[in-house]
Amino acid sequence: MKIEEIQGLIKFVAKSGVNEVELEMDNIKLVIKTGAKEVAPQIIHAAAPMAAAPIVAPAPVATVAAPAPIVENSNYIEIKSPMIGTFYRSATPEKPVFKNVGDDVKPGDVLCIIEAMKLFNEIEAEVSGKIVKVLVDDASPVEYDQPLFLIDPS
Amino acid sequence: MNVIWLDSIDSTNEEMKRRLKHQNSLKNFDAIVANFQTNGKGQREAKWESDYGKNVTFSFYFQPNNLYVVDAFKLNQAVSILISDYLKNLGVKGVQIKWPNDIMVNHKKVCGILIENTLLKNELLHSIIGIGLNVNQSTILSSDNSTSISNEMQEFFYIKVVVEELIDYLYKVQNFIDRPVLLNNRYLDLLLGLNEVRKFSIDGKEIFGVIIGINTDGRLRVLIDRKEQLFEQKKIRFLFE
């Protein structure tokens, strides 16, 4: 089972509202329990005789709680995705994110990468300001025109 | 059009980005070539490995004219056609493009392309086109489904000559982008698996389907159970027998 599939499953279970799901297939047993607000993935390896690739428990992905409501401020500028693709906050997984909440941005600064069809597209800021909120999780799919960042231009 | 030769570098794409950021000295069609990449990049996590001096690893700087995000896939098409044309011109047989942009020879990967664009609003400002072409590599690479020109031709090639000739081909990238009909026809002519029943992995399942073309945004059109479906790059994988 791929990490993405496990992550997808956790998200699905988290959204479904059930408390616990047990899944057994091949040599993997997966138990996903949703607490009140957090998801604790537990992966139990049933007797796998040979040196199977270690399965890394994914970092808790989905929090069930809805994101804290953004303080609506009509002065904030939304940076939207110019395409369908995958949103990345850093150049490579081991590198630091381009911009964090609270960071200043100026035109020409790279905000994120959207990958589409094996093209890696760096999105540059058009405005100056401060990052108020990052609206999308790293490595998740984004739609055309989906808001990615909120920037306070003042 | 300068060709900058380096002995060893982490990745030519990274070096190009650094030069853009700190010196802003690159001109359209400049290239950075390395004998060896210590941290060659494939697709995001994927690493591209190559023995010292045996293969072609370089990045090509391209400032497109009026290329918009909706047409960005044309860049993939143009670059993969031009590399295929060059290989065919060298005498390599069985050259095909595996969607979206791997260059294959007899169903084995010979060349990988990694394109990094910078966008402002909906336009492509510039592109760094990273190319890794297996030339004289004779040992098996980490990915077992790969080959090299030398493996296919039983001949040895001078890396410097290959780089210079290949860059000559790449100068045509804008001309190709400006001719969308030719671009599409040429791409489909080279597309691996077009109109053939092939096995794919979709959502972890093995499924037979027939590639019937691509969409304007580059998505793959596949006929499955007589119904056409569109796939993004991460949703479908070729299964080679």
Side-chain angles (χ1 to χ4, degrees):
Chain A
M1 219 176 167
K2 291 199 198 102
I3 294 294
E4 293 87 5
E5 288 170 18
I6 297 172
Q7 287 175 336
L9 209 61
I10 291 168
K11 278 188 184 162
F12 178 76
V13 172
K15 279 185 192 150
S16 73
V18 298
N19 291 328
E20 187 172 337
V21 169
E22 268 189 61
L23 182 74
E24 245 185 290
M25 50 193 286
D26 301 333
N27 58 349
I28 289 176
K29 185 177 177 191
L30 190 68
V31 183
I32 300 172
K33 288 182 185 167
T34 60
K37 284 200 171 171
E38 62 192 84
V39 182
Q42 262 190 297
I43 295 171
I44 299 155
H45 249 296
M50 70 272 148
I55 293 192
V56 185
V61 189
T63 42
V64 184
I70 302 150
V71 184
E72 284 305 328
N73 183 333
S74 53
N75 293 330
Y76 290 165
I77 293 170
E78 278 182 342
I79 305 291
K80 294 175 176 175
S81 177
M83 69 188 85
I84 299 171
T86 308
F87 171 84
Y88 294 110
R89 292 187 60 193
S90 61
T92 54
E94 62 271 14
K95 284 199 176 158
V97 297
F98 293 115
K99 292 289 172 189
N100 265 313
V101 171
D103 286 355
D104 288 323
V105 293
K106 56 182 189 309
D109 283 0
V110 176
L111 298 174
C112 63
I113 288 174
I114 310 276
E115 181 198 351
M117 297 295 166
K118 276 176 86 174
L119 294 167
F120 292 80
N121 303 290
E122 287 187 344
I123 311 295
E124 290 191 350
E126 299 163 35
V127 293
S128 300
K130 202 183 269 284
I131 304 271
V132 177
K133 190 154 179 68
V134 184
L135 301 164
V136 181
D137 287 336
D138 188 44
S140 46
V142 288
E143 295 296 324
Y144 174 73
D145 246 4
Q146 182 174 341
L148 306 172
F149 295 92
L150 274 186
I151 292 183
D152 182 352
S154 49
Chain B
M1 304 174 228
N2 294 318
V3 179
I4 300 154
W5 288 81
L6 303 172
D7 189 48
S8 172
I9 195 80
D10 51 350
S11 131
T12 53
N13 269 30
E14 288 305 312
E15 176 63 16
M16 199 165 257
K17 279 193 233 169
R18 284 191 291 264
R19 287 181 187 224
L20 268 175
K21 197 171 174 186
H22 300 299
Q23 305 163 16
N24 202 20
S25 57
L26 291 173
K27 293 189 295 295
N28 200 15
F29 300 143
D30 278 355
I32 296 179
V33 193
N35 290 325
F36 187 68
Q37 291 191 122
T38 54
N39 196 13
K41 291 209 295 185
Q43 204 188 350
R44 212 154 166 92
E45 296 85 6
K47 287 255 160 56
W48 192 79
E49 286 173 40
S50 160
D51 285 350
Y52 178 89
K54 285 194 171 176
N55 301 304
V56 162
T57 53
F58 72 101
S59 297
F60 186 74
Y61 183 65
F62 175 50
Q63 294 170 312
N65 266 331
N66 304 313
L67 183 59
Y68 294 91
V69 170
V70 285
D71 289 324
F73 191 71
K74 287 186 176 144
L75 205 51
N76 264 339
Q77 289 179 291
V79 172
S80 38
I81 292 168
L82 289 166
I83 296 172
S84 302
D85 281 355
Y86 172 64
L87 294 181
K88 288 202 280 184
N89 184 60
L90 274 185
V92 183
K93 304 273 186 231
V95 179
Q96 287 184 303
I97 298 167
K98 183 169 122 286
W99 175 83
N101 67 1
D102 284 335
I103 313 298
M104 312 293 280
V105 174
N106 297 322
H107 294 180
K108 294 194 200 105
K109 183 165 168 173
V110 74
C111 178
I113 302 167
L114 183 94
I115 301 181
E116 299 185 78
N117 301 317
T118 300
L119 306 187
L120 186 62
K121 292 182 180 165
N122 290 317
E123 192 170 353
L124 270 76
L125 288 182
H126 54 76
S127 298
I128 294 174
I129 301 168
I131 292 171
L133 173 65
N134 295 335
V135 181
N136 294 319
Q137 184 90 32
S138 54
T139 47
I140 300 291
L141 299 172
S142 58
S143 111
D144 48 4
N145 193 34
S146 66
T147 188
S148 66
I149 308 177
S150 181
N151 264 351
E152 298 296 318
M153 302 277 292
Q154 306 302 319
E155 238 183 276
F156 179 86
F157 293 84
Y158 287 99
I159 296 298
K160 197 166 189 305
V161 175
V162 172
V163 170
E164 282 167 1
E165 289 177 347
L166 190 52
I167 288 173
D168 270 346
Y169 270 73
L170 290 173
Y171 290 147
K172 289 180 236 162
V173 62
Q174 183 73 48
N175 305 11
F176 251 122
I177 288 170
D178 292 337
R179 298 188 61 190
V181 177
L182 177 71
L183 188 72
N184 260 317
N185 290 344
R186 291 291 328 278
Y187 186 80
L188 292 182
D189 282 347
L190 286 161
L191 192 61
L192 189 152
L194 184 73
N195 298 327
E196 293 168 7
V197 179
R198 291 250 169 200
K199 204 198 276 180
F200 299 96
S201 169
I202 300 164
D203 288 335
K205 290 196 207 82
E206 291 189 3
I207 289 172
F208 285 95
V210 178
I211 295 174
I212 54 171
I214 56 160
N215 220 12
T216 48
D217 61 8
R219 278 181 292 172
L220 195 66
R221 297 168 56 206
V222 185
L223 211 57
I224 295 167
D225 290 336
R226 295 188 191 150
K227 273 196 207 123
E228 182 182 330
Q229 294 188 35
L230 283 174
F231 291 96
E232 284 161 47
Q233 191 249 322
K234 290 185 175 163
K235 304 283 182 187
I236 185 166
R237 197 160 53 82
F238 282 80
L239 293 173
F240 290 96
E241 298 298 315

